[in-house]
Amino acid sequence: MKKSKLTSVLAVIMLILLVATGCSSGTSATSTPGAGTSGAEKNASGKLDKVTLQLKWLPQSQFMGYYVAKAKGYYKDEGIDLEILPGGSDIIPEQQVYNGVADIGVTWVSSLMKYQSQGWGLVQVGQIFQKSAMLLVSKTSAGINSAADLKGKKVGSWFGGNEYEIYALLEANGLKKDTDLKLVQQDYTMNQLLNNEIDAASAMTYNEYGLLLESGLKDSDLHVINMNDAGVAMLEDCLFVNSDWIAKNQDLYVRFLKASIKGWAEACADPEAAGKVVFDADQSVSLSHQVYMAKEVAKLVVPKDFDPANIGYIDMDAIKQTADLAHKYGLLTKPAVISEDTVTSKYWKEATAK
Amino acid sequence: MKNKVKNLLWPLAFGIALILAWQFGVFHKILDLKPFQLPVPTEIASTLAANLPKALKDCGVTISGALIGMIIGSFMGFMIAAMATFFPKWGYGGMIVVTALNAVPIVALSPIMNLWFSTGMAQKIAVVTVVCMAAMAINAYSGLNNLNPYSIDLMHSVAANKWTIFRKLRLPNSLPHIFTASKINIASSIIAAIISEYFAASTSGLGFGIKDNLRKAEMAMGWSYIVVASLAGVILYCIILLVERDALKWHASQK
Amino acid sequence: MNAAEIQIKNVSMVYPVNNGEDILALTDVNFDIQEGEFISLLGPSGCGKTTLLRIIADLLQPTSGSVSIRGQSPRDIRMQQKYGIVFQSPVLYDWRTVRRNICMPMEIMGIPKKERTTRITRMLELVGLQDFGYKYPFELSGGMQQRVGIARALALNPEFLLMDEPFSALDEFTREKLNEDLLSIWSKTKKTVIFVTHNIPESVFLSDRVVVLSPHPGRISAIVDINLPRPRENSIRETSEFYEYVTKIRRSFEGV
């Protein structure tokens, strides 16, 4: 009996450990030496300041501005040695930045708001994507011509915070997410849609939609619901930092932002070349897909009638819409607190001042 | 009786001490964590209480998938062991295949099963089935074949045929091994079901609840699912122990 | 003159060994056993006495030579379920109670349930375990377990009772008690018994004839008729005739 008791205790511990490691928890905090708040333009000793940037996802043209700026030496010009950390399905930028694994992070605004509302000391300091790239894509054969047609269908989402635009879309069209249709977890390929296992799939304009085209489907084979058109867009890729870190590294961040804006402007002006730069840095996907993505991302960073000089601009109306939708559809239990402590244009103004 | 109470009291006291240390921030101090990174027990408990109906429903989804997969996997594992016993020449090939399958990690197995099956439940059952097959096959095979010396001679001496030997000797002889495999499988089936839900095309189950909530910074909710998963594992394990105690009265280990 | 019940002709047994030096377990063994005879196969370990018993029981095939029982092969006799075997260890099935262990071979032989129950009760009394019928093997001492093994073989009422050192693991007192019991049971049934032992007094006490085997290679070195009167009781061990037989057999070993 004694032995089996021990086995049972071990089994339980194993279970807990395995379950708990399903989420990656960060390592302990480390302090990063920065340039300080003295306002010194460059490091006096001539040595570069180390900065790490945590991406939301794998190295790809979604982040081309940073890759172009790095390749062209714009960070070096600002006295920065930038290290880019790739993301992944188990890497949560908010946790990485909070724990000090990275100094600056790229994440979606709604996700950042969630962490902020839970008490994590993080602050948004730039907005790269001005538009939402989220689509709901279906084959025309499924007959989903408008959001209302989603009734009774099987709809894919990546969840983990990516589901709220869909919730908003459904509610705006009078559909109940739990009863009127079936939401399923989608993997990071588009196979479920291609194999007709689901009727509509989440897709980013710059990535998954391109995968569908590469698989041989044409624009005319697909029907798309665009969150911007549906009025339920939530902001995506933004820049954020740990509040404690920025207090000590204001100047360093401004220099980082300056170089990044330069990189983004150049990338958006010539996405083809930017795609090549990203491909050279990381060949995880094909060159043609990187170039496709670069072209689509450029449309999000510098939309029509948007001055490229304003890259990184934080549109407070869009922020409010994101916050309102996040609260209304249940991501946030109480309204987001929008203040200088949670989202600030201070550094962007400094970086873009002539 | 007094001893039994004592045996129970110590682990219980230790567990309570751990929970108290957790509640009053000892672990947070040691690991340098904020309460929003590691929620305290009372917060987890109140979150769980508020979410109980959904948590139980998710628990039901995971456990039913785990149990169905475990039953199918254990049955298949046993059949493979029986084949290898009845037809040693070619039947042992199945044992080799199943042992090799055993080495495939669950995280690799899940996406493969997602390609083969389209509903979350089927994916989960498939992953659990594969995971449970090997432990049962290996244990059952040793139970069916590690016989006391002469016990087969005794059967032969009265001209018992293969089937009679299987039924009256090999099968009961393998029972303790089958329980050993079941105890291994009950834990691994829940783990496999949960990990499968991380990837599955479904939004129900404990695994989805853990992954999704931890990603969304709903730490207390995520932990409440972890607690439910652990409790379910412990309860199922205890049920197996009770069944085993009843079924193996004759076994020296049950004295 | 009746034909012998069991004829063992030129039986040899070779165990192949990896290094090429095969082990000669038995070479050219010849002897007959009469119906109703109590025969002991006696010898030190390695003399092939257990091997010979297993060949007679059709649990081993001889390398050469043959065993004929009433004109049939050991396999025929085995398939007719005419053997009862007691092994060196009790070979009880842990998951069965004492009664159901005794019952097991009878189930396979298809003996009716009522008859089985009667025989079990009788056999338990015979081996003095009437109070232990519903115990599991792990609740019994080694001596008790071995008595269950004997009861199980006797319950079959076999034509041929083969016993492979059944008492070797028991203490001297238990052994002598069981020797006496065995004889009293045998005297009632008068079945043919082949009894393997390495204990000289035991073989003298029990047997009509003692086949003495010597090792390396295993062969018969002597066959000794024991002309002690029956029924025998333990007091016979104190007689000079008994002592002479023991001495004679012991000398036959020293001569080797």
Side-chain angles (χ1 to χ4, degrees):
Chain A
M1 257 329 275
K2 217 170 199 167
K3 203 170 162 194
S4 56
K5 207 178 271 167
L6 186 71
T7 332
S8 70
V9 170
L10 280 176
V12 170
I13 292 172
M14 286 262 292
L15 191 65
I16 294 172
L17 280 180
L18 266 146
V19 165
T21 46
C23 83
S24 61
S25 58
T27 54
S28 62
T30 56
S31 66
T32 310
T37 52
S38 60
E41 269 294 305
K42 299 267 154 60
N43 194 315
S45 62
K47 262 171 83 182
L48 298 175
D49 296 314
K50 264 199 84 79
V51 173
T52 46
L53 174 69
Q54 175 65 57
L55 303 182
K56 170 118 177 128
W57 198 241
L58 307 170
Q60 55 185 18
S61 295
Q62 180 185 359
F63 312 105
M64 60 184 179
Y66 315 110
Y67 282 101
V68 167
K70 184 170 177 170
K72 292 284 167 75
Y74 299 157
Y75 291 116
K76 213 170 267 169
D77 294 345
E78 296 289 343
I80 292 171
D81 173 18
L82 182 74
E83 187 191 355
I84 300 178
L85 302 178
S89 64
D90 289 324
I91 295 168
I92 299 165
E94 286 88 341
Q95 299 188 359
Q96 298 285 88
V97 169
Y98 184 84
N99 292 328
V101 177
D103 303 317
I104 303 166
V106 178
T107 191
W108 289 14
V109 172
S110 54
S111 166
L112 179 63
M113 286 175 171
K114 177 74 197 189
Y115 276 85
Q116 288 171 329
S117 77
Q118 298 275 323
W120 300 61
L122 301 168
V123 54
Q124 185 186 344
V125 288
Q127 180 65 45
I128 304 301
F129 285 15
Q130 303 296 334
K131 293 275 180 194
S132 164
M134 174 83 96
L135 307 172
L136 264 188
V137 187
S138 54
K139 293 184 183 169
T140 44
S141 54
I144 302 171
N145 299 315
S146 69
D149 294 334
L150 290 170
K151 190 168 174 150
K153 303 289 187 191
K154 237 175 158 180
V155 178
S157 165
W158 299 295
F159 286 90
N162 297 350
E163 67 272 36
Y164 292 97
E165 275 173 296
I166 297 173
Y167 288 176
L169 176 78
L170 296 174
E171 185 134 333
N173 287 277
L175 295 174
K176 291 206 174 53
K177 67 178 167 71
D178 295 322
T179 50
D180 284 341
L181 72 168
K182 192 162 168 45
L183 284 167
V184 304
Q185 191 174 214
Q186 193 178 322
D187 63 24
Y188 299 107
T189 69
M190 291 308 269
N191 294 338
Q192 286 155 297
L193 183 71
L194 291 170
N195 299 336
N196 299 317
E197 284 166 20
I198 55 178
D199 301 306
S202 297
M204 306 307 283
T205 55
Y206 51 80
N207 194 3
E208 288 79 10
Y209 191 78
L211 292 177
L212 290 174
L213 298 180
E214 284 164 28
S215 77
L217 292 168
K218 296 191 189 61
D219 285 313
S220 56
D221 298 330
L222 298 167
H223 188 270
V224 158
I225 298 171
N226 185 310
M227 300 301 160
N228 298 297
D229 303 342
V232 292
M234 291 165 85
L235 288 173
E236 291 157 9
D237 294 26
C238 72
L239 288 166
F240 73 97
V241 290
N242 184 322
S243 311
D244 295 336
W245 182 84
I246 193 73
K248 288 177 240 140
N249 296 288
Q250 297 184 7
D251 170 63
L252 182 59
Y253 176 71
V254 169
R255 284 188 276 137
F256 163 83
L257 190 56
K258 260 190 204 168
S260 301
I261 291 170
K262 214 168 155 187
W264 273 108
E266 209 172 304
C268 293
D270 187 358
E272 201 127 347
K276 177 86 173 62
V277 167
V278 176
F279 179 75
D280 289 341
D282 185 288
Q283 310 194 336
S284 57
V285 291
S286 70
L287 176 60
S288 66
H289 188 70
Q290 293 290 20
V291 169
Y292 165 86
M293 187 183 290
K295 287 178 179 164
E296 288 298 323
V297 165
K299 293 180 204 165
L300 304 169
V301 177
V302 186
K304 226 179 252 170
D305 306 326
F306 186 86
D307 181 0
N310 286 338
I311 286 173
Y313 168 71
I314 303 174
D315 176 355
M316 291 311 285
D317 291 337
I319 292 281
K320 284 206 184 70
Q321 176 173 334
T322 302
D324 289 346
L325 291 173
H327 177 230
K328 190 169 168 198
Y329 298 110
L331 174 61
L332 304 179
T333 46
K334 49 186 189 293
V337 178
I338 298 174
S339 71
E340 275 294 293
D341 293 330
T342 55
V343 45
T344 176
S345 299
K346 191 163 89 182
Y347 312 108
W348 177 80
K349 280 178 186 151
E350 262 187 66
T352 51
K354 297 287 168 319
Chain B
M1 200 54 217
K2 212 173 173 187
N3 249 332
K4 255 189 181 160
V5 173
K6 244 188 196 165
N7 278 344
L8 208 70
L9 230 51
W10 275 111
L12 206 66
F14 184 67
I16 291 172
L18 272 183
I19 291 174
L20 284 177
W22 182 356
Q23 179 71 33
F24 293 108
V26 177
F27 297 139
H28 295 82
K29 267 255 157 52
I30 297 170
L31 299 170
D32 190 26
L33 292 171
K34 295 275 172 0
F36 53 74
Q37 288 174 298
L38 174 61
V40 295
T42 47
E43 195 193 346
I44 296 170
S46 63
T47 309
L48 180 58
N51 186 45
L52 199 58
K54 184 169 184 320
L56 287 180
K57 207 174 133 235
D58 282 324
C59 183
V61 169
T62 304
I63 297 304
S64 58
L67 287 182
I68 294 170
M70 177 174 153
I71 289 166
I72 298 175
S74 300
F75 178 76
M76 287 170 69
F78 183 83
M79 290 313 285
I80 288 166
M83 285 293 182
T85 306
F86 262 106
F87 311 104
K89 275 199 185 117
W90 56 267
Y92 200 76
M95 291 296 297
I96 293 169
V97 171
V98 88
T99 312
L101 260 185
N102 191 33
V104 180
I106 303 171
V107 266
L109 215 52
S110 275
I112 295 172
M113 293 306 163
N114 289 1
L115 292 178
W116 292 1
F117 301 93
S118 63
T119 70
M121 190 46 98
Q123 291 163 357
K124 180 162 36 213
I125 291 172
V127 172
V128 176
T129 297
V130 174
V131 167
C132 289
M133 219 157 53
M136 182 54 80
I138 292 162
N139 278 286
Y141 183 82
S142 89
L144 291 173
N145 290 281
N146 287 352
L147 306 170
N148 282 332
Y150 305 118
S151 59
I152 274 230
D153 289 342
L154 176 64
M155 281 289 180
H156 284 156
S157 73
V158 286
N161 61 27
K162 260 188 171 187
W163 173 239
T164 306
I165 294 175
F166 186 83
R167 222 162 26 101
K168 290 195 185 286
L169 171 58
R170 293 188 191 274
L171 194 61
N173 191 67
S174 71
L175 211 56
H177 297 78
I178 287 173
F179 273 106
T180 303
S182 301
K183 282 186 275 183
I184 298 169
N185 279 348
I186 203 74
S188 50
S189 70
I190 295 176
I191 292 169
I194 285 173
I195 294 181
S196 142
E197 284 164 350
Y198 286 177
F199 304 97
S202 124
T203 58
S204 49
L206 297 173
F208 183 81
I210 292 166
K211 175 192 156 172
D212 199 52
N213 283 299
L214 291 184
R215 258 188 96 74
K216 286 195 292 208
E218 294 281 5
M219 299 299 170
M221 186 68 88
W223 274 93
S224 77
Y225 275 101
I226 293 173
V227 168
V228 171
S230 308
L231 286 178
V234 171
I235 290 169
L236 287 177
Y237 191 88
C238 288
I239 291 174
I240 295 245
L241 277 188
L242 287 177
V243 175
E244 180 187 34
R245 191 186 293 186
D246 197 53
L248 299 186
K249 276 200 191 95
W250 48 269
H251 203 260
S253 73
Q254 302 297 323
K255 252 185 263 189
Chain C
M1 170 86 201
N2 290 340
E5 172 128 290
I6 302 178
Q7 295 175 312
I8 295 160
K9 276 192 195 144
N10 307 325
V11 165
S12 293
M13 186 74 201
V14 180
Y15 290 112
V17 180
N18 281 337
N19 64 13
E21 284 180 44
D22 295 345
I23 291 178
L24 277 172
L26 289 172
T27 57
D28 207 22
V29 172
N30 284 287
F31 69 100
D32 293 345
I33 299 170
Q34 305 301 321
E35 186 179 353
E37 199 175 13
F38 197 124
I39 273 250
S40 283
L41 305 180
L42 175 76
S45 51
C47 72
K49 55 191 189 297
T50 293
T51 300
L52 186 55
L53 186 83
R54 290 174 68 82
I55 289 171
I56 295 168
D58 190 42
L59 296 173
L60 267 182
Q61 302 308 314
T63 313
S64 63
S66 69
V67 175
S68 155
I69 302 169
R70 294 179 186 165
Q72 295 175 296
S73 71
R75 183 179 155 78
D76 293 333
I77 302 295
R78 180 168 71 82
M79 294 318 281
Q80 292 158 23
Q81 301 171 320
K82 286 183 176 162
Y83 290 124
I85 305 183
V86 182
F87 296 91
Q88 282 173 17
S89 63
V91 206
L92 300 184
Y93 291 176
D94 294 338
W95 51 91
R96 284 174 173 252
T97 59
V98 166
R99 289 189 73 96
R100 296 196 59 240
N101 260 291
I102 297 171
C103 191
M104 200 279 301
M106 291 195 280
E107 286 167 30
I108 293 171
M109 290 170 68
I111 292 168
K113 190 162 183 198
K114 222 175 147 190
E115 170 72 14
R116 295 197 304 239
T117 313
T118 321
R119 287 201 202 175
I120 292 165
T121 308
R122 192 153 39 96
M123 286 305 144
L124 280 176
E125 274 168 25
L126 201 66
V127 297
L129 290 175
Q130 51 270 52
D131 296 336
F132 294 87
Y134 297 98
K135 298 279 185 197
Y136 283 99
F138 78 88
E139 297 170 295
L140 268 50
S141 71
M144 291 161 112
Q145 291 187 7
Q146 192 61 24
R147 279 190 271 169
V148 177
I150 293 164
R152 182 179 54 201
L154 291 175
L156 302 178
N157 198 14
E159 308 257 328
F160 304 95
L161 183 59
L162 311 182
M163 304 179 87
D164 185 7
E165 301 192 36
F167 307 135
S168 63
L170 305 181
D171 64 79
E172 200 61 29
F173 303 102
T174 314
R175 176 202 288 261
E176 289 186 2
K177 165 81 172 62
L178 285 174
N179 282 170
E180 211 175 33
D181 291 347
L182 177 61
L183 277 192
S184 85
I185 294 161
W186 174 71
S187 67
K188 284 174 203 144
T189 58
K190 282 289 177 186
K191 301 294 177 186
T192 308
V193 180
I194 304 173
F195 189 98
V196 168
T197 181
H198 55 235
N199 185 305
I200 299 171
E202 185 175 61
S203 67
V204 171
F205 179 76
L206 292 171
S207 310
D208 295 323
R209 275 193 300 159
V210 176
V211 177
V212 182
L213 293 149
S214 60
H216 314 302
R219 63 196 151 74
I220 295 176
S221 58
I223 296 181
V224 182
D225 286 309
I226 311 293
N227 292 315
L228 293 170
R230 290 190 188 270
R232 297 172 191 164
E233 289 174 2
N234 269 333
S235 54
I236 208 168
R237 294 173 193 269
E238 290 152 22
T239 64
S240 58
E241 292 94 330
F242 186 89
Y243 180 76
E244 274 164 27
Y245 279 120
V246 171
T247 310
K248 186 178 173 193
I249 292 171
R250 181 171 292 126
R251 293 238 166 95
S252 78
F253 281 115
E254 284 162 359
V256 176

